[in-house]
Amino acid sequence: MKPGVEFALKQLREGLQGHEVRIKEDADGGVFVIVDNVALGRSLAPARSWVGFQITWPYPDADVYPHFIGPEVRYVGKGGAPTIHPDGNLPTSMTRGATMPGFDLPAIQVSRRSNRRNPDTDTALQKLLRVIEFLRSR
Amino acid sequence: MERSWTLTIDQAQYETVVRHLFPGDQDEHGGVIAAGIAETTRGTRLLAREFFPATDGVEFVEGRRGYRMLTAEFVSDRIRYCRDERLTYLAVHNHMGGDSVAFSDADNRSHERGYPALLDISGRPVGALVLTEEAIAGDIWTPDRVRRPIGESVVVGQNITRLFPSPLPPPPKADEAYDRQARWFGDRGQALLGRLKVGIIGAGGVGLPLVTMLARLGVGSFVVIDPDRVEPSNLSRLDARRIDAMVPLRRLGLPGFLANHLSVRKVRLARRVARRANRRVDFLGIGKSVIEPDAALALVDCDFIFLAADSHLARMVFNAVAHQYMIPGIQIGTRIDTDAETGAVADIRSNVRLVLPYVGCVRCNSLISSSKLQDEARGRADRERNRYVDEIPAPSVITFNTLSAAQAADDFMLMVGGLMDGRAPIDYLRFRPRERKMEPIEGFTNRPKCPDCGSSRESRRGRGDGVELPLPDR
Amino acid sequence: MASETELESEMRGTRVAVSVNTKPVTLTNHRVTGLEIKQAAIAQGVEIQEDFLLTLEAEPGRPARTIGDNETITVTKHSVFTANDVDDDS
């Protein structure tokens, strides 16, 4: 595993105490990560799901995205959801029929590309926390 | 055969050293250069990363056994810094003189007295440099107590200047094949081209004409890196035959996947055009991406590197190699923007950017996107599976590609020949063919905290083999 | 706890191995002068001279500092020294 990726994992584990963090190494020195039992807020059901992503070997120069959550999640909040789907509607930036790589799990993809990213401060942990905040604010 | 030791220093750093050593008082001055080391098949390169001037009267004082000396406290601080940073200590001082310089007996006695201790402290080579305004000599000690001279010192700037301990003998007369260009370039320039090793990342629409031009100029040695094979869509802009892309067999019904597999590799095409131009050329073609470790590491002993590939991972690796190993380079790109709805051409521009240790950093000029790095590093299978929409292949035209390749080849030739006008802009050049315009565009200043070109302790600048290049694990 | 003076008298006469320019040097006393350290190092094959500058490397809570020839210090097995000459030019 590349030293930058290892350090990102260390920050994730320290910042996410109380959550299990599962990993699988990829072929290039990066890692696939799944964080279990993340609270998604009131607008999504079930209330908790896993969140997964890949930290690739060029990290921290590379951004960390997209993120993936469990396929059973659907929008249950007030008001309409823009993405209509027979398996459950979803807010914008979320797409069904994806696959969490590394673990090969069916998933919903959450695409949040970072604009004007600063590799010194936009860590994998901070990106994950922003994605979780995004999910909770739908 | 014993391989040579050379010194590489960038123009800005060299000017700082010269200003300190030659302030106009006809006296001696001194300091220490902390240098990275690169061990290559062509010899060992010292890369001048930092310069510590010794203050006259405080750190550079009347000598005990010579005219002047660096104080023991100054030496102690510098050798321990070099040890901690895994750099090589090079004491620097000047003599008055012209185009020849050598250490005096007192200099050598001082080295013999003091350098074994410095070798033990740092565990790495140590040495000394002595300069006149036109010459540089070096005395390098390795941990096995063997001493070696520095053969050639290369100052990397808009002109690439070579300095020696004494003038070189006259060069051989250039081969008559180069007669027309040797008339203005000189036999010495032509001989230099033959000794140079050039790396080219990308052997497509820009890289292939670049190989052709440089080989015809007489560049002696190439490393060309490209993972792709020739496709039918390339034929409008590559010097390739239809059979290279398996066109006749495709027409006869050969399945596409098989035709693609049998098509000629672009590096093999590059070898063909290079050998056609110069039968004696030394050519290494690597049919892999530049991010593969054996491809990237094949660049570290090049004298010059061209980036003629578009991926952001290629830009990242190119920029790292250029700054870590202090190799001058040129980044070339053409962009044709079309309106997504109408397909009409919105803009055509070609850029040719000098990348030197102190200017033109690809990272500082915001040319490496963290999103694109992630996209490229995630791998094709994942992107396709998750319905990531691949970018539609960008338009590419032989005339725009060749124009920018020719400008890059011109820049290279003038830089290595020391013929670039000192007043020429160092900014990147942008061609706008539709407006028949070519203009220099000021880039962003290199940032002190840049991990590639910066002056902070964390940067890879000038560290040579001392740090890893940003490459995937293999 | 014993005072420093009592500890010193207990340690007097005990051999201690220090490091000079990364080479091991055995001293016969924990209380030595800078010159005695250099002389012992020379006798044990370290390539220095008596007039070299002796520096005691940094330890947690204490920066590196030079040690004069006539300065007496207490050394331990963790004491790390460098010794270097001036760099004469002509």
Side-chain angles (χ1 to χ4, degrees):
Chain A
M1 205 184 295
K2 304 300 287 185
V5 176
E6 275 196 43
F7 186 66
L9 265 185
K10 177 172 178 289
Q11 288 178 317
L12 277 163
R13 289 196 157 113
E14 285 170 3
L16 296 170
Q17 294 190 18
H19 294 274
E20 189 183 343
V21 176
R22 293 183 274 151
I23 65 162
K24 278 199 180 165
E25 294 190 36
D26 69 25
D28 301 327
V31 71
F32 303 100
V33 181
I34 284 186
V35 180
D36 286 307
N37 203 30
V38 176
L40 301 182
R42 286 188 226 154
S43 298
L44 298 172
R48 291 178 172 270
S49 180
W50 55 266
V51 182
F53 47 92
Q54 183 183 10
I55 307 175
T56 55
W57 65 267
Y59 180 91
D61 288 328
D63 194 1
V64 181
Y65 89 105
H67 292 69
F68 300 90
I69 59 176
E72 67 283 357
V73 173
R74 67 197 187 285
Y75 182 70
V76 297
K78 298 192 173 86
T83 309
I84 309 296
H85 196 283
D87 295 336
N89 300 342
L90 289 173
T92 50
S93 303
M94 293 170 71
T95 322
R96 288 197 180 277
T99 306
M100 168 68 204
F103 292 85
D104 279 331
L105 293 174
I108 290 166
Q109 178 171 311
V110 183
S111 292
R112 301 295 292 169
R113 191 183 285 214
S114 298
N115 292 324
R116 291 189 297 279
R117 180 174 173 272
N118 181 345
D120 293 331
T121 55
D122 293 339
T123 63
L125 170 64
Q126 284 160 336
K127 186 63 184 285
L128 173 65
L129 294 176
R130 283 207 296 278
V131 168
I132 294 172
E133 182 55 36
F134 166 78
L135 293 168
R136 289 180 184 165
S137 64
R138 296 304 90 198
Chain B
M1 187 174 83
E2 180 74 20
R3 289 183 305 203
S4 63
W5 285 66
T6 61
L7 171 75
T8 301
I9 182 168
D10 73 65
Q11 181 74 36
Q13 185 93 276
Y14 177 70
E15 286 172 3
T16 302
V17 172
V18 165
R19 272 198 300 275
H20 178 71
L21 297 181
F22 302 99
D25 60 359
Q26 300 294 308
D27 203 352
E28 279 192 19
H29 305 277
V32 166
I33 286 176
I37 282 189
E39 299 270 8
T40 79
T41 54
R42 300 167 78 206
T44 305
R45 297 176 58 224
L46 293 162
L47 311 169
R49 178 181 149 84
E50 297 172 77
F51 173 57
F52 301 95
T55 306
D56 293 325
V58 177
E59 294 159 333
F60 195 68
V61 300
E62 191 173 329
R64 284 182 191 167
R65 291 168 282 270
Y67 174 58
R68 292 273 187 271
M69 68 182 191
L70 296 172
T71 63
E73 288 80 359
F74 185 82
V75 172
S76 175
D77 285 343
R78 298 303 147 227
I79 190 67
R80 288 182 299 114
Y81 175 83
C82 287
R83 173 199 62 192
D84 296 342
E85 291 290 310
R86 298 188 314 280
L87 296 169
T88 290
Y89 165 106
L90 296 172
V92 185
H93 77 285
N94 61 298
H95 289 175
M96 296 304 130
D99 57 7
S100 289
V101 70
F103 292 99
S104 65
D105 290 341
D107 291 334
N108 284 320
R109 281 195 296 273
S110 175
H111 301 172
E112 286 152 18
R113 192 174 200 269
Y115 285 9
L118 300 187
L119 287 172
D120 285 341
I121 292 170
S122 72
R124 310 176 54 79
V126 303
L129 303 171
V130 63
L131 279 72
T132 64
E133 286 181 280
E134 298 171 59
I136 300 180
D139 177 24
I140 305 301
W141 291 59
T142 46
D144 55 1
R145 304 310 197 248
V146 175
R147 295 171 76 168
R148 296 173 180 85
I150 286 181
E152 176 183 76
S153 297
V154 182
V155 182
V156 175
Q158 204 167 350
N159 281 304
I160 298 168
T161 310
R162 287 174 153 74
L163 297 170
F164 303 89
S166 57
L168 293 178
K173 182 119 178 43
D175 189 305
E176 66 173 330
Y178 305 112
D179 177 66
R180 291 291 183 89
Q181 72 189 38
R183 284 169 193 263
W184 73 273
F185 201 57
D187 290 331
R188 191 178 295 283
Q190 198 61 56
L192 174 61
L193 283 176
R195 288 204 317 269
L196 293 180
K197 183 171 183 179
V198 162
I200 300 178
I201 303 168
V206 173
L208 196 64
L210 196 49
V211 169
T212 306
M213 282 185 271
L214 296 175
R216 290 211 178 266
L217 278 176
V219 169
S221 181
F222 288 82
V223 175
V224 178
I225 299 171
D226 194 309
D228 291 340
R229 295 177 186 267
V230 181
E231 296 173 18
S233 64
N234 297 152
L235 294 176
S236 64
R237 55 187 186 281
L238 289 190
D239 182 7
R241 302 174 301 212
R242 288 153 57 81
I243 192 63
D244 291 327
M246 294 290 129
V247 169
L249 295 180
R250 289 176 199 262
R251 294 226 166 119
L252 288 174
L254 186 69
F257 76 91
L258 195 54
N260 293 342
H261 185 66
L262 293 174
S263 293
V264 167
R265 286 197 178 278
K266 287 184 178 174
V267 294
R268 192 160 156 202
L269 195 59
R271 180 195 308 266
R272 184 196 303 157
V273 302
R275 289 253 156 90
R276 194 191 307 151
N278 177 6
R279 286 209 175 281
R280 288 190 296 270
V281 76
D282 181 36
F283 189 97
L284 173 63
I286 302 180
K288 296 179 181 181
S289 167
V290 71
I291 69 169
E292 294 303 321
D294 49 348
L297 291 170
L299 294 171
V300 306
D301 68 347
C302 289
D303 298 296
F304 208 97
I305 305 175
F306 295 88
L307 176 62
D310 249 354
S311 82
H312 289 246
L313 285 175
R315 291 177 185 181
M316 182 182 78
V317 171
F318 163 80
N319 205 56
V321 172
H323 289 97
Q324 189 166 320
Y325 289 89
M326 298 186 78
I327 303 172
I330 295 179
Q331 182 253 336
I332 311 146
T334 294
R335 189 183 171 103
I336 303 175
D337 290 335
T338 53
D339 185 284
E341 285 179 13
T342 65
V345 172
D347 190 21
I348 304 170
R349 53 185 190 279
S350 295
N351 296 322
V352 177
R353 177 179 277 107
L354 301 187
V355 180
L356 300 175
Y358 53 94
V359 71
C361 172
V362 176
R363 186 187 289 270
C364 293
N365 279 280
S366 303
L367 291 171
I368 301 175
S369 156
S370 58
S371 305
K372 291 245 165 68
L373 288 179
Q374 177 72 345
D375 291 340
E376 292 169 15
R378 279 169 58 207
R380 180 177 293 276
D382 173 35
R383 299 205 309 271
E384 286 174 356
R385 190 168 44 177
N386 283 309
R387 278 183 266 140
Y388 172 89
V389 178
D390 271 346
E391 286 181 6
I392 297 161
S396 181
V397 180
I398 187 171
T399 50
F400 307 144
N401 292 339
T402 310
L403 183 66
S404 49
Q407 179 64 48
D410 269 348
D411 284 342
F412 159 79
M413 181 181 59
L414 294 169
M415 287 168 74
V416 301
L419 297 166
M420 190 73 81
D421 189 322
R423 295 162 300 182
I426 205 158
D427 321 289
Y428 70 93
L429 292 179
R430 173 166 291 173
F431 297 83
R432 289 188 182 272
R434 293 182 74 193
E435 296 157 53
R436 305 189 84 213
K437 191 159 70 170
M438 189 261 279
E439 57 190 351
I441 308 282
E442 192 176 343
F444 294 120
T445 309
N446 284 9
R447 293 179 298 119
K449 289 197 173 167
C450 174
D452 288 343
C453 73
S455 49
S456 73
R457 285 174 85 145
E458 290 72 33
S459 86
R460 64 176 69 256
R461 184 180 170 278
R463 290 194 180 272
D465 299 337
V467 294
E468 303 269 316
L469 285 169
L471 301 169
D473 287 344
R474 286 288 179 259
Chain C
M1 190 165 116
S3 69
E4 187 174 323
T5 308
E6 289 171 41
L7 272 172
E8 285 171 10
S9 57
E10 281 174 15
M11 290 192 299
R12 192 173 304 127
T14 309
R15 300 165 84 77
V16 60
V18 301
S19 166
V20 180
N21 290 356
T22 73
K23 308 296 183 193
V25 174
T26 301
L27 303 174
T28 55
N29 202 314
H30 284 79
R31 293 280 294 167
V32 283
T33 65
L35 182 59
E36 286 169 341
I37 294 169
K38 287 186 281 186
Q39 286 170 336
I42 292 167
Q44 294 174 46
V46 181
E47 287 181 84
I48 61 172
Q49 306 289 336
E50 283 189 13
D51 63 353
F52 280 20
L53 180 76
L54 188 69
T55 303
L56 175 61
E57 291 272 41
E59 285 177 8
R62 185 187 52 74
R65 68 181 186 90
T66 57
I67 307 295
D69 282 352
N70 297 321
E71 182 184 348
T72 303
I73 59 169
T74 303
V75 299
T76 72
K77 63 183 179 184
H78 302 295
S79 298
V80 176
F81 297 92
T82 58
N84 63 272
D85 197 8
V86 301
D87 205 321
D88 264 296
D89 302 318
S90 76

